[in-house]
Amino acid sequence: MDYSQFLVMHREIALLAVFLVVFLYDIFMPKRALGATSWVAVGAFALFTAYSFLMPGTNETAFAGMYVSSGACAAIKNILNVGVLIVLIQATKWADSDLQIMRRGEFYELLLITLFGMYLMISGRHFLIFLIGLETASLPLAAMVAFDKQRYESHEAAVKYMLTAVFSSAIFMMGLSFVYGLTGTLYFSGIADKLSEASPLLICALAFVIAGIGFKLSLVPFHLWTADVYQGAPTSVTAYFSVISKGAAAFAFMVVLAQCFGAFYADVWEWMLYALIILTITVGNIFAIRQKNMKRFLAFSSISQAGYIMLGVEADSAVGLTALMFYVLVYIFSNLAAFGVIGAIENKTGKVEMTDYNGLSRTNPWLAFAMMLAMFSLAGIPPFAGFFSKFFIFTGCLSQGSVAIYILVLIALINTIISLYYYLLVVKAMYISPEEPQIANFRSACPERIGLWICVLGIIALGIVSFFYDSIYTAASTAGIFASL
Amino acid sequence: MSPVIPLLILVIPLAMFLFLGLCGHKMSHRWAGILGTTGMGVTMVLAYITAFTYFFSGDPSFIDADTHTRLQAILFNQDWLNFYDKLVIRLGFLLDPIAALLLVVITTISFMVHLYSNGYMRDHHGVWEKGFQRFYAFLSLFSFSMLGLVVATNIFQMYIFWELVGASSYLLIGFYYTKPSAVSASKKAFIVTRFADLGFLIGILILSYYTGSFDFTDFTSAPVGGPDSTVYRIDPATPSHILSVFQNSAAPIFMGGSVLTWALVLIFMGGMGKSAMMPLHIWLPDAMEGPTPVSALIHAATMVVAGVYLVARLFPLYLMEPVALDIVVVVGAITALYAAIVACTQIDIKRVLAFSTISQIAFMMVSLGVARPEFHEGLGYMAGMFHLFTHAMFKALLFLCAGALIHAIGSNDYTAMHGLRKYMPVTHITFLVGCLAIAGIIPFAGFFSKDEILTATGEYSTFWYIWMSAVAGLTAFYMFRLYYLIFWWKEHKVPEGHHTPHDQPWTMTLPLVILAAISCVAGFVPMGNLVTWNGVEEVTNPNFFTNLGNLNWGVASVSLAVAIVAIVIATIMYRKENPLPAKMKAALPHLWEWAHHRFYWDELYQFITHKIIFGCICKPIAWFDRHIVDGTMNGMAYVTNKISYAIRGFQSGRIQLYVLWYLIGAVVLAAVTMICVLC
């Protein structure tokens, strides 16, 4: 065996190295040095992020085509790294709190391991690798959800997540076994070659595969766990769930659909997805309207946002892929800004209800400002980044050109109006509501502020500077537009 | 030339805006003023360096030495919005003769105004105006926008900055936002220019739809030395190619005019709004509600000439459709006469200057409109740009003088002034210089540029030549009327309890003196060597007396005679208190009444908007909006709410049901698809 193949996976290996650094530091360092664990994790991950950005995304395959590395894979990994870095920075305050201080090492280790799993999902081109990645990315999350040991909701959420995850894995694997039975291979390219015509079994398999990945993306009707878990989990974990896990799954979803089922089945899965997108966006919105708890509110908002991300998959083209990645990037900044504010306020006062935010602009103008930008960006108000990400994803989808797609985009647009309502409810509470402010003025911790600044800059810069979109487009479209995802 | 200096020209004002806007309120007033002024000063120096390098360095990317042709150089061009290969919106920096000229004009006037405002924006006791830092932030924003506009490499960039200029003008007119008249003036200015910009936008869309490009160079020029070159030369073949694109398109004619003519006229409509051409001029007189330095900067020297600049920028394209240019001439000439007549009857000194500005910009428009390559190698184009340059200097001077008077007297009406020459000698002399310049008395700046315009008009048509000469005479008359009514007429009486008016602090005096000096010599700038429509130098090896030597004395002596007669009449009527003006008014009561009320344009607009548009169009639409659109929305909200309430049980919190729904979802998905695909 040619061991130099491992070098193709240098990003994964470097990530494991970061994991090992944190792990060994946590275990072997004397107790007085452990205060710096959080910053060791952040520092090591920042170095890794820089490394990942500096390494070019070449087109290579390893292990007989089970694993590929390409410009698009490198780009989505870099995007996720930025998000993880922000999550890590924002989480330090929470991880260093008295309740978590004994086990914060585990938090970082589990988080890095799930990221490793996501990397495998992104780069795997064989369903075995893909499945390992999917499981690695799912199961440790259950432990992370249960991190607030003393909170009852945290346990409940973990159990709910665990059970649903196991169930969805079972469905997913059932779908895979159908595929394997029909084609005799688990290679993506091999499956694509063997598939010739629609059969009931294959449609079943396709539906189960979509359900399995749809669980990670929390597409309706596979989303029911989302709200409970988001509400129950610690805010940092929720933030991680809502952006990173979703971003990786969206990309992997596109790879699976386009590469395995693209050639013969595009019109079948596009219709399946069509229905799921409409359901997801609409149901997510309808539930979001009623929410009073900020985390639960963002859970439903993120369900609806996942529907928009799926529009990029629906486009089934390099432009769609670019729009999808750009959407994920923007979504990372916007959602992490929102969670950053929620986390800062929760850490200080323990308040997470929307009514607690009444009059926030008068007591904490900067936090309210960051939250407002996040809400504007999520709602897609120009000139913030969210507007452009929605714009690109709509145009990407429209370039497909059929009447059905126009109807789909129209429904998505109507839903944007509904979503505007509930995003503005938050802004209204913070800026217009005449009631007495619930939260006294406080100075948030330094890492929280750094995280928020990065997010705010991202929201503004991505809207104005075209460089990011252009470089993603270059990465997504180099070397054979769609074949080498 | 490296792109660093050009980039800094744009970045410094923007940085000043952000800094003063965000942190200004924490600084002391004095330092905010000094900072803003210094920033603009540095920008001015950089702009001078850029313009000097462009005109005089002999760099092969700026001038083709063999054919004596000035070229267009794109110093940088950054992709901004990349829709697809052809549809790219870029932000860049195009340097060519008119851009370099405008860089100099804008930064000079802007610096003078920044300096002047240090003195103007505080009262006699040295108390700073409220919102002083905000004022400087807005001035910087305006300067940034205007600079971005003139260096635009493509029409879309120009449109973006065009709107930014409009927005900063809105902010500055409404600077005294507690004053209702200022607020309504700012709204009026914004709405009228926005309405005009609608035409501009449609024009842009038509033009880019047919040509598939936004770049100015794709409309007017050809690359020098290979298609990847960033250096271009104005080439009539390119616009005529565009003309053929339009003619060979599926629908070359629209409502009796060619589509290209429509596009150009619509683009000109945007220019009419910004440059206050009739019938879109109504906002400019009201815009005088802003602080006077703002009027000098925006509403006299820079923003209002954006329309002229726009036509000049696309001039080779306009040449393809002479009809469009004829429209420019007619609009310009009528506006010029109208504004000059109205200016004779106004009482507010800033309004007189405002109408004079409208009239002078109309001169530039006429000048561009009459320019044709066959008349003196497109003399009108050069003359228009020349007049833009000289007018910016002397009109800014006049406005700043007016500001000094208002600062000293506390009123805008000349009736409160009279006989100020003894109390404010510096203002008196500089104002006189400005008047002589605008009246066109040799050797002041206006004489040369106006003379060139009249020469070009004479080549085009005798009728318009006589018309424009008459307007020139009126100009001299109303300016000297104003001059005498402010500084002579009768002795000034100081009301009890007030101190006598006096000249202003040096920050205000210095700009006056500098601008007066420029107004004395600007006429000798050999513009024919620097700015021509196709870049070819009309005169080579110029010296200080080139303009004097090239004068067409036939035209020049006529216009001088007209100006002098007009000044003599003004002297007889207004130098000393006498009954002549009242007699004139009694002899022509209707004309005076109409001119005093600006020919009732505002009332006409009031009637059209309130009675016709609001009544016949808006009311039905409002009804439709309230009952049908809102009804649909309310219905949607109602239904959404109901559904939301009805399906809340879906999210029960019971894990068994979650999994059940999951399974049902997967199975239904598979089943429905199977039925659809296989049956």
Side-chain angles (χ1 to χ4, degrees):
Chain A
M1 187 175 169
D2 178 10
Y3 288 99
S4 68
Q5 292 186 37
F6 278 103
L7 285 181
V8 178
M9 303 180 68
H10 61 92
R11 281 197 175 77
E12 281 76 2
I13 293 170
L15 180 61
L16 281 182
V18 174
F19 165 74
L20 277 178
V21 166
V22 179
F23 183 62
L24 296 175
Y25 188 91
D26 189 38
I27 289 183
F28 291 111
M29 286 309 266
K31 199 160 185 196
R32 59 191 157 74
L34 286 183
T37 310
S38 299
W39 291 106
V40 168
V42 170
F45 196 83
L47 280 180
F48 166 65
T49 307
Y51 164 81
S52 183
F53 266 105
L54 292 176
M55 295 304 282
T58 47
N59 287 311
E60 285 176 289
T61 62
F63 313 119
M66 280 187 172
Y67 176 96
V68 305
S69 140
S70 69
C73 292
I76 187 78
K77 284 173 187 169
N78 287 338
I79 290 172
L80 295 184
N81 285 346
V82 172
V84 171
L85 191 60
I86 299 172
V87 170
L88 288 181
I89 292 173
Q90 287 178 341
T92 48
K93 176 82 194 314
W94 167 76
D96 289 343
S97 63
D98 291 340
L99 288 169
Q100 308 297 342
I101 200 154
M102 292 305 294
R103 46 179 183 269
R104 64 179 158 207
E106 282 99 285
F107 170 73
Y108 292 113
E109 289 145 28
L110 289 170
L111 191 149
L112 291 172
I113 279 300
T114 53
L115 185 63
F116 177 74
M118 289 167 202
Y119 272 28
L120 286 187
M121 279 167 74
I122 289 166
S123 278
R125 293 296 178 270
H126 185 275
F127 268 121
L128 213 53
I129 299 264
F130 187 85
L131 192 66
I132 291 172
L134 188 72
E135 294 300 325
T136 318
S138 289
L139 299 183
L141 279 175
M144 285 165 69
V145 171
F147 237 73
D148 273 350
K149 268 191 179 169
Q150 73 293 350
R151 267 178 60 226
Y152 165 75
E153 294 93 337
S154 189
H155 299 261
E156 184 193 331
V159 170
K160 279 181 176 168
Y161 177 71
M162 188 74 185
L163 289 174
T164 329
V166 169
F167 185 78
S168 100
S169 291
I171 295 266
F172 181 65
M173 272 188 269
M174 187 150 146
L176 281 195
S177 64
F178 290 169
V179 173
Y180 186 66
L182 282 170
T183 60
T185 176
L186 283 176
Y187 279 104
F188 287 8
S189 50
I191 294 170
D193 291 340
K194 293 272 170 50
L195 293 178
S196 52
E197 55 182 296
S199 72
L201 202 54
L202 253 176
I203 289 173
C204 249
L206 192 53
F208 288 173
V209 167
I210 287 179
I213 308 179
F215 158 79
K216 295 236 43 143
L217 279 163
S218 56
L219 299 184
V220 176
F222 319 117
H223 71 291
L224 287 157
W225 58 278
T226 318
D228 294 350
V229 172
Y230 278 30
Q231 191 183 359
T235 303
S236 302
V237 178
T238 311
Y240 183 70
F241 250 112
S242 71
V243 294
I244 310 299
S245 168
K246 228 163 230 188
F251 184 86
F253 203 18
M254 186 149 191
V255 174
V256 169
L257 290 178
Q259 295 221 321
C260 297
F261 304 103
F264 289 98
Y265 268 61
D267 50 341
V268 178
W269 63 253
E270 272 174 8
W271 281 111
M272 288 183 174
L273 211 54
Y274 192 91
L276 290 184
I277 289 171
I278 293 176
L279 268 180
T280 306
I281 297 181
T282 316
V283 172
N285 270 340
I286 287 175
F287 273 102
I289 289 176
R290 307 187 67 81
Q291 301 309 318
K292 301 278 176 277
N293 177 298
M294 286 301 285
K295 281 160 81 177
R296 215 170 159 81
F297 157 76
L298 278 180
F300 284 108
S301 123
S302 84
I303 291 174
S304 156
Q305 298 280 350
Y308 289 105
I309 297 179
M310 284 303 101
L311 286 174
V313 181
E314 185 78 9
D316 195 18
S317 65
V319 178
L321 179 66
T322 315
L324 182 146
M325 291 205 274
F326 187 70
Y327 202 101
V328 169
L329 179 62
V330 171
Y331 181 56
I332 282 177
F333 285 123
S334 319
N335 227 23
L336 287 183
F339 275 114
V341 176
I342 292 174
I345 289 174
E346 197 189 3
N347 285 337
K348 198 74 189 177
T349 63
K351 291 181 173 169
V352 282
E353 295 298 313
M354 202 182 280
T355 47
D356 296 333
Y357 284 67
N358 284 339
L360 187 69
S361 67
R362 274 165 276 157
T363 51
N364 292 293
W366 285 104
L367 282 181
F369 176 71
M371 192 65 162
M372 181 179 73
L373 283 193
M375 290 297 132
F376 281 174
S377 182
L378 285 172
I381 294 175
F384 303 108
F387 169 76
F388 290 94
S389 63
K390 277 211 168 66
F391 174 77
F392 286 130
I393 213 143
F394 286 156
T395 44
C397 204
L398 284 177
S399 62
Q400 228 198 23
S402 66
V403 177
I405 289 289
Y406 281 100
I407 295 171
L408 179 64
V409 171
L410 186 69
I411 292 173
L413 276 175
I414 292 173
N415 271 292
T416 317
I417 300 169
I418 298 177
S419 73
L420 192 61
Y421 166 72
Y422 59 75
Y423 288 125
L424 288 185
L425 275 186
V426 181
V427 179
K428 181 185 155 213
M430 294 189 303
Y431 279 87
I432 300 174
S433 168
E435 285 169 47
E436 270 303 294
Q438 303 287 315
I439 297 162
N441 182 23
F442 68 89
R443 189 169 171 78
S444 44
C446 175
E448 285 167 349
R449 257 178 292 142
I450 295 174
L452 280 179
W453 270 114
I454 299 175
C455 293
V456 166
L457 285 181
I459 291 171
I460 295 171
L462 285 172
I464 301 170
V465 186
S466 66
F467 164 78
F468 303 99
Y469 182 80
D470 286 344
S471 50
I472 294 175
Y473 184 74
T474 320
S477 56
T478 42
I481 291 177
F482 213 43
S484 67
L485 270 167
Chain B
M1 185 174 184
S2 88
V4 177
I5 290 180
L7 204 55
L8 278 178
I9 293 177
L10 296 179
V11 167
I12 293 176
L14 179 63
M16 282 297 154
F17 163 61
L18 292 176
F19 184 76
L20 289 174
L22 293 174
C23 314
H25 59 282
K26 291 185 181 156
M27 301 172 70
S28 76
H29 294 75
R30 180 181 304 277
W31 281 105
I34 291 175
L35 186 68
T37 311
T38 317
M40 204 56 231
V42 173
T43 314
M44 179 177 77
V45 171
L46 294 175
Y48 282 4
I49 293 173
T50 310
F52 187 83
T53 317
Y54 179 78
F55 282 124
F56 304 115
S57 71
D59 185 322
S61 63
F62 295 146
I63 186 163
D64 183 345
D66 300 333
T67 54
H68 292 289
T69 306
R70 298 194 183 275
L71 306 171
Q72 298 180 305
I74 292 179
L75 297 182
F76 64 87
N77 214 5
Q78 174 66 37
D79 287 5
W80 182 64
L81 266 184
N82 207 337
F83 291 102
Y84 57 91
D85 297 344
K86 289 213 80 176
L87 188 61
V88 185
I89 296 174
R90 299 195 181 88
L91 294 182
F93 196 108
L94 173 72
L95 198 56
D96 73 345
I98 48 174
L101 179 74
L102 264 287
L103 281 183
V104 170
V105 170
I106 294 163
T107 52
T108 309
I109 306 291
S110 186
F111 176 68
M112 296 302 161
V113 165
H114 273 78
L115 184 60
Y116 181 89
S117 302
N118 281 308
Y120 184 81
M121 296 303 278
R122 55 201 288 198
D123 66 15
H124 296 291
H125 310 292
V127 179
W128 303 89
E129 198 86 53
K130 190 165 162 281
F132 181 79
Q133 296 94 330
R134 180 166 56 92
F135 179 75
Y136 268 86
F138 289 162
L139 278 187
S140 300
L141 174 66
F142 172 79
S143 307
F144 162 70
S145 323
M146 194 67 209
L147 291 167
L149 190 156
V150 297
V151 301
T153 55
N154 59 73
I155 201 162
F156 210 95
Q157 181 187 354
M158 192 178 218
Y159 185 71
I160 292 170
F161 282 99
W162 188 272
E163 294 303 330
L164 263 179
V165 167
S168 36
S169 152
Y170 166 80
L171 293 170
L172 282 166
I173 296 172
F175 178 73
Y176 300 120
Y177 57 82
T178 49
K179 209 165 112 190
S181 60
V183 172
S184 63
S186 65
K187 280 195 284 195
K188 189 173 180 183
F190 194 71
I191 293 170
V192 172
T193 49
R194 271 302 297 145
F195 172 72
D197 294 346
L198 184 69
F200 186 18
L201 183 62
I202 298 173
I204 292 176
L205 293 179
I206 297 175
L207 197 59
S208 55
Y209 177 77
Y210 279 82
T211 58
S213 173
F214 290 124
D215 289 352
F216 287 125
T217 46
D218 287 351
F219 298 146
T220 60
S221 333
V224 177
D228 290 333
S229 165
T230 57
V231 178
Y232 294 82
R233 172 205 296 270
I234 300 279
D235 185 351
T238 315
S240 56
H241 169 69
I242 285 178
L243 180 66
S244 70
V245 168
F246 273 85
Q247 281 168 346
N248 297 331
S249 64
I253 301 290
F254 178 75
M255 283 175 55
S258 84
V259 175
L260 182 56
T261 310
W262 276 105
L264 292 175
V265 168
L266 283 168
I267 289 175
F268 174 60
M269 182 180 156
M272 281 166 69
K274 274 275 184 289
S275 293
M277 293 292 104
M278 236 165 60
L280 298 173
H281 65 281
I282 53 161
W283 64 272
L284 187 58
D286 289 22
M288 297 300 135
E289 289 293 340
T292 309
V294 169
S295 309
L297 174 61
I298 302 185
H299 306 117
T302 53
M303 184 183 87
V304 286
V305 298
V308 180
Y309 183 76
L310 176 65
V311 176
R313 177 55 75 216
L314 290 172
F315 185 72
L317 205 52
Y318 274 91
L319 273 183
M320 293 296 124
E321 291 288 356
V323 183
L325 280 181
D326 292 341
I327 291 174
V328 174
V329 174
V330 173
V331 168
I334 293 177
T335 309
L337 181 63
Y338 160 80
I341 292 175
V342 174
C344 294
T345 59
Q346 298 299 306
I347 292 172
D348 182 329
I349 57 172
K350 283 181 76 181
R351 303 254 158 154
V352 176
L353 292 177
F355 278 102
S356 151
T357 305
I358 297 177
S359 172
Q360 295 299 307
I361 295 166
F363 259 94
M364 301 172 207
M365 283 290 187
V366 169
S367 176
L368 285 179
V370 299
R372 299 285 189 281
E374 58 268 27
F375 305 150
H376 273 314
E377 304 293 332
L379 173 70
Y381 180 91
M382 185 281 272
M385 288 294 117
F386 195 9
H387 199 57
L388 190 161
F389 172 65
T390 55
H391 171 259
M393 300 301 164
F394 60 67
K395 188 49 73 60
L397 168 65
L398 288 169
F399 263 109
L400 293 184
C401 287
L405 293 166
I406 293 166
H407 192 66
I409 303 296
S411 164
N412 280 14
D413 289 356
Y414 63 66
T415 46
M417 295 172 183
H418 295 325
L420 280 177
R421 66 186 183 283
K422 285 176 194 151
Y423 298 102
M424 304 177 72
V426 178
T427 315
H428 172 221
I429 297 298
T430 48
F431 195 87
L432 181 59
V433 169
C435 287
L436 288 169
I438 193 172
I441 301 299
I442 194 164
F444 296 97
F447 167 74
F448 292 96
S449 51
K450 198 169 281 179
D451 178 62
E452 306 270 14
I453 292 180
L454 291 175
T455 311
T457 315
E459 297 264 356
Y460 172 77
S461 119
T462 317
F463 173 71
W464 291 124
Y465 168 69
I466 296 170
W467 178 294
M468 293 313 283
S469 299
V471 177
L474 271 176
T475 310
F477 172 74
Y478 68 69
M479 282 317 297
F480 273 86
R481 166 181 174 270
L482 186 63
Y483 164 73
Y484 284 121
L485 285 173
I486 294 172
F487 294 103
W488 298 74
W489 191 251
K490 60 183 177 188
E491 285 304 307
H492 190 79
K493 287 194 196 70
V494 180
E496 268 181 49
H498 284 60
H499 52 81
T500 50
H502 53 82
D503 268 328
Q504 45 285 349
W506 70 270
T507 46
M508 289 167 74
T509 311
L510 186 64
L512 295 185
V513 173
I514 295 175
L515 286 172
I518 296 176
S519 299
C520 291
V521 298
F524 293 98
V525 172
M527 203 57 78
N529 176 257
L530 305 176
V531 179
T532 52
W533 77 275
N534 56 2
V536 179
E537 292 174 2
E538 266 172 37
V539 267
T540 46
N541 303 325
N543 58 33
F544 188 73
F545 297 106
T546 305
N547 284 353
L548 213 54
N550 288 355
L551 273 183
N552 180 342
W553 280 106
V555 177
S557 46
V558 170
S559 68
L560 259 181
V562 168
I564 289 169
V565 168
I567 293 173
V568 169
I569 294 175
T571 314
I572 294 169
M573 284 176 72
Y574 296 105
R575 182 162 180 269
K576 289 220 177 80
E577 197 172 3
N578 68 55
L580 263 178
K583 271 188 199 159
M584 283 275 290
K585 186 176 158 185
L588 299 165
H590 296 296
L591 181 62
W592 193 90
E593 200 61 28
W594 275 69
H596 184 67
H597 288 102
R598 313 173 206 166
F599 291 80
Y600 297 100
W601 271 103
D602 286 279
E603 285 75 7
L604 179 66
Y605 273 97
Q606 197 79 0
F607 177 75
I608 293 175
T609 50
H610 282 238
K611 290 276 153 35
I612 298 178
I613 298 182
F614 287 2
C616 303
I617 303 174
C618 296
K619 275 206 182 129
I621 293 181
W623 183 89
F624 184 83
D625 182 63
R626 213 159 289 145
H627 293 90
I628 310 293
V629 179
D630 285 6
T632 317
M633 280 296 159
N634 289 340
M636 206 166 99
Y638 179 78
V639 170
T640 313
N641 224 339
K642 280 286 163 201
I643 296 176
S644 172
Y645 189 73
I647 64 170
R648 73 196 190 286
F650 196 45
Q651 191 79 41
S652 59
R654 288 169 61 193
I655 185 76
Q656 297 93 322
L657 287 181
Y658 287 6
V659 172
L660 183 64
W661 280 114
Y662 187 111
L663 191 63
I664 292 174
V667 171
V668 168
L669 188 64
V672 171
T673 320
M674 242 182 269
I675 292 167
C676 295
V677 174
L678 301 175
C679 300

